[in-house]
């Protein structure tokens, strides 16, 4: 393999903030780059500020993400971020949430290509920081992608992160690999692929189809299995992506025994819980945070349903920790070798 693969942790509002990033970095060796969940306030909120403070992100390569469709707001936030030592910011053109897109922000901005073009012109002229872009491929139809790509081509985008879905797809359907291929073929930018990677097979497929793409961003796959990036790194270290039609090269992550993985996950979970308790006001906020995480983490266990229900229903931390402990005692982590892996949703 000619260039080392770089793995990025996707920005995920409410989930991959600095507490998660730090615990993930400590327990699983981390990602090459972390993107903060979006910052939307011209004057950073307490939560947004906490997330980007350098002392909360020591030892990690963090790129703050901005969500706006107003150039002056973008520049104002970027200037503020430069005061904290950031040299690159990321523009969110992918968020499909109704409250965001109704105001033509996130993926909603893609429905106004001329305004988007003007916005990019303004920010690339006036922003003191380098700018990367995270985008979907359109709103309603894949036919929109070519024109959007032409717009991105005009600007010195630091890197173009593509989640090849339409706004209307939300998280349904499959990523459109033809759209990503079009960017590989025509684009001058450094590309990063994002979307639906949760096994070494998914990763091997992207490597086979796009051997020149060396940047991979992962979100839900890591939330479900925090060891994923480490496992994929081991796969990536094998000499070549498997030829088409062949199964992916076996990962040496098999060397980590299932009980070890379970212990590691438990330690990661407990660390996360402790740190949320330390920074969030009140047990209830921590409880909500942890419950949200289990929407993903729960999918990584053999038969989690009754425990997940107990976790969902927990009204106090004590009930929550009892349910989590029972799950860790009774169930195993699903591995790629075990039958359940593919059938469990992201
Ligand atoms: C709960 C949730 C929150 C998200 N928050 C953000 C966000 O703040 N900024 C962003 O660019 N994308 C956000 N995303 C999209 C992810 O970064 C990523 O593009 C998407 O999940 C596809 O990658 P995956 O299949 O690896 O998860 C979010 C996704 C989810 C499910």
């Amino acid at each position: 393999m000619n260039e080392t693969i770089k793995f990025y942790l996707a920005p995920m509002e409410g989930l991959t903030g600095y507490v998660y990033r730090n615990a993930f970095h400590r327990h699983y060796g981390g990602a090459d780059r972390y993107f903060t969940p979006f910052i939307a306030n011209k004057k950073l909120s307490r939560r947004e500020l906490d997330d980007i403070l350098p002392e909360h992100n020591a030892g990690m390569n963090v790129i703050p993400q901005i969500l706006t469709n107003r150039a002056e707001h973008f520049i104002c936030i970027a200037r503020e971020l430069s005061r904290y030592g950031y040299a690159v910011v990321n523009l969110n053109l992918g968020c499909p949430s109704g409250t965001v897109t109704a105001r033509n922000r996130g993926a909603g901005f893609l429905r106004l290509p001329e305004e988007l073009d003007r916005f990019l012109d303004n920010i690339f002229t006036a922003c003191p920081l380098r700018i990367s872009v995270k985008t979907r491929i359109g709103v309603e139809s894949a036919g929109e992608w070519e024109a959007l790509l032409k717009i991105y081509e005009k600007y010195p985008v630091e890197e173009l992160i593509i989640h090849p879905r339409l706004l209307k797809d939300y998280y349904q359907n499959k990523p459109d690999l033809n759209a990503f291929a079009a960017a590989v073929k025509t684009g001058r930018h450094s590309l990063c692929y994002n979307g639906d990677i949760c096994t070494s097979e998914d990763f091997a497929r992207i490597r086979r189809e796009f051997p020149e793409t060396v940047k991979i961003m992962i979100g839900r796959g890591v939330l479900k299995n925090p060891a994923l990036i480490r496992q994929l790194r081991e796969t990536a270290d094998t000499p070549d992506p498997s030829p088409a039609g062949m199964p992916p090269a076996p990962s040496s992550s098999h060397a980590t025994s299932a009980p070890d993985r379970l212990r590691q996950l438990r330690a990661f979970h407990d660390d996360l819980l402790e740190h949320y308790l330390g920074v969030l006001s009140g047990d209830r906020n921590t409880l909500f945070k942890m419950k949200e995480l289990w929407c993903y983490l729960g999918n990584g266990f053999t038969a989690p349903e009754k425990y997940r229900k107990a976790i969902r229903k927990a009204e106090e931390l004590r009930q929550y920790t009892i349910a989590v402990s029972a799950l860790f005692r009774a169930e195993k982590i699903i591995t790629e070798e075990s039958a359940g892996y593919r059938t469990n949703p992201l």
Side-chain angles (χ1 to χ4, degrees):
M1 190 157 304
N2 25 24
E3 225 184 310
T4 319
I5 307 281
K6 300 275 185 250
F7 291 98
Y8 298 171
L9 184 68
M12 297 183 89
E13 230 270 303
L15 292 157
T16 59
Y18 77 97
V19 173
Y20 185 95
R21 292 197 293 273
N22 278 281
F24 174 69
H25 205 73
R26 274 193 296 276
H27 290 264
Y28 289 100
D32 294 294
R33 202 164 278 183
Y34 296 87
F35 290 73
T36 71
F38 63 75
I39 296 168
N41 292 302
K42 199 169 140 212
K43 178 165 174 11
L44 268 54
S45 68
R46 183 71 241 173
R47 186 186 55 75
E48 290 168 342
L49 184 61
D50 271 341
D51 203 37
I52 59 97
L53 283 177
E55 56 271 38
H56 289 169
N57 292 288
M60 293 182 282
N61 183 356
V62 173
I63 312 286
Q65 184 187 68
I66 302 176
L67 174 88
T68 182
N69 58 11
R70 294 182 57 176
E72 67 276 22
H73 284 188
F74 185 95
I75 290 158
C76 182
I77 296 169
R79 286 220 173 97
E80 186 64 11
L81 290 167
S82 76
R83 291 182 51 226
Y84 293 92
Y86 290 98
V88 185
V89 283
N90 178 258
L91 169 66
N92 179 329
L93 293 174
C95 181
S97 134
T99 48
V100 165
T101 59
R103 294 165 66 190
N104 296 324
R105 297 181 304 165
F109 206 177
L110 304 179
R111 67 166 74 94
L112 304 172
E114 282 174 21
E115 280 187 28
L116 174 63
D117 194 2
R118 269 197 301 279
F119 169 90
L120 292 174
D121 192 31
N122 285 334
I123 64 171
F124 276 97
T125 304
C127 181
L129 307 186
R130 305 201 298 282
I131 302 167
S132 72
V133 170
K134 178 166 180 282
T135 186
R136 289 198 177 218
I137 57 168
V139 176
E140 287 288 329
S141 138
E144 298 161 36
W145 182 225
E146 194 184 333
L148 289 169
L149 264 179
K150 281 207 177 107
I151 294 175
Y152 296 141
E153 282 304 293
K154 292 164 65 176
Y155 302 99
V157 177
E158 170 80 0
E159 60 188 4
L160 185 62
I161 303 161
I162 302 172
H163 177 198
R165 276 193 169 91
L166 296 165
L167 162 54
K168 75 163 189 199
D169 290 335
Y170 215 73
Y171 292 98
Q172 306 298 311
N173 302 323
K174 295 255 168 274
D176 179 346
L177 296 190
N178 289 332
F180 192 80
V184 170
K185 196 159 154 221
T186 60
R188 67 175 166 120
H189 297 309
S190 174
L191 298 184
C192 170
Y193 174 85
N194 168 233
D196 289 21
I197 293 188
C198 72
T199 65
S200 51
E201 204 180 305
D202 301 330
F203 173 62
R205 169 152 191 237
I206 296 302
R207 292 293 299 132
R208 268 199 310 275
E209 299 226 7
F210 307 110
E212 58 287 270
T213 301
V214 293
K215 299 173 183 177
I216 303 284
M217 174 180 274
I218 307 181
R220 292 166 299 164
V222 168
L223 294 183
K224 173 182 168 183
N225 168 19
L228 182 63
I229 288 181
R230 195 181 57 203
Q231 290 165 5
L232 297 185
R233 275 193 212 286
E234 290 163 1
T235 309
D237 284 344
T238 56
D240 268 312
S242 315
M246 297 292 283
S251 157
S252 56
S253 67
H254 299 179
T256 315
S257 71
D260 281 349
R261 283 196 238 172
L262 195 68
R263 265 193 293 279
Q264 184 168 37
L265 186 61
R266 179 78 217 227
F268 168 68
H269 168 275
D270 292 355
D271 192 0
L272 208 48
L273 178 61
E274 187 188 324
H275 280 85
Y276 278 137
L277 280 171
V279 303
L280 295 176
S281 58
D283 287 5
R284 279 190 82 71
N285 286 334
T286 299
L287 186 60
F288 288 134
K289 256 304 177 232
M290 297 307 288
K291 281 186 181 186
E292 197 178 355
L293 186 64
W294 276 102
C295 298
Y296 300 91
L297 213 48
N299 293 322
F301 284 83
T302 41
E305 268 327 308
K306 81 172 181 195
Y307 306 98
R308 283 177 83 172
K309 194 166 165 205
I311 289 169
R312 262 197 315 274
K313 287 176 73 180
E315 288 185 1
E316 292 170 9
L317 260 184
R318 218 180 87 78
Q319 294 163 333
Y320 167 86
T321 46
I322 288 172
V324 167
S325 295
L327 171 59
F328 272 102
R329 260 196 319 275
E331 299 300 326
K332 298 191 178 65
I333 289 185
I334 298 175
T335 59
E336 293 196 28
E337 310 86 80
S338 63
Y341 207 89
R342 280 261 129 230
T343 50
N344 269 15
L346 264 178

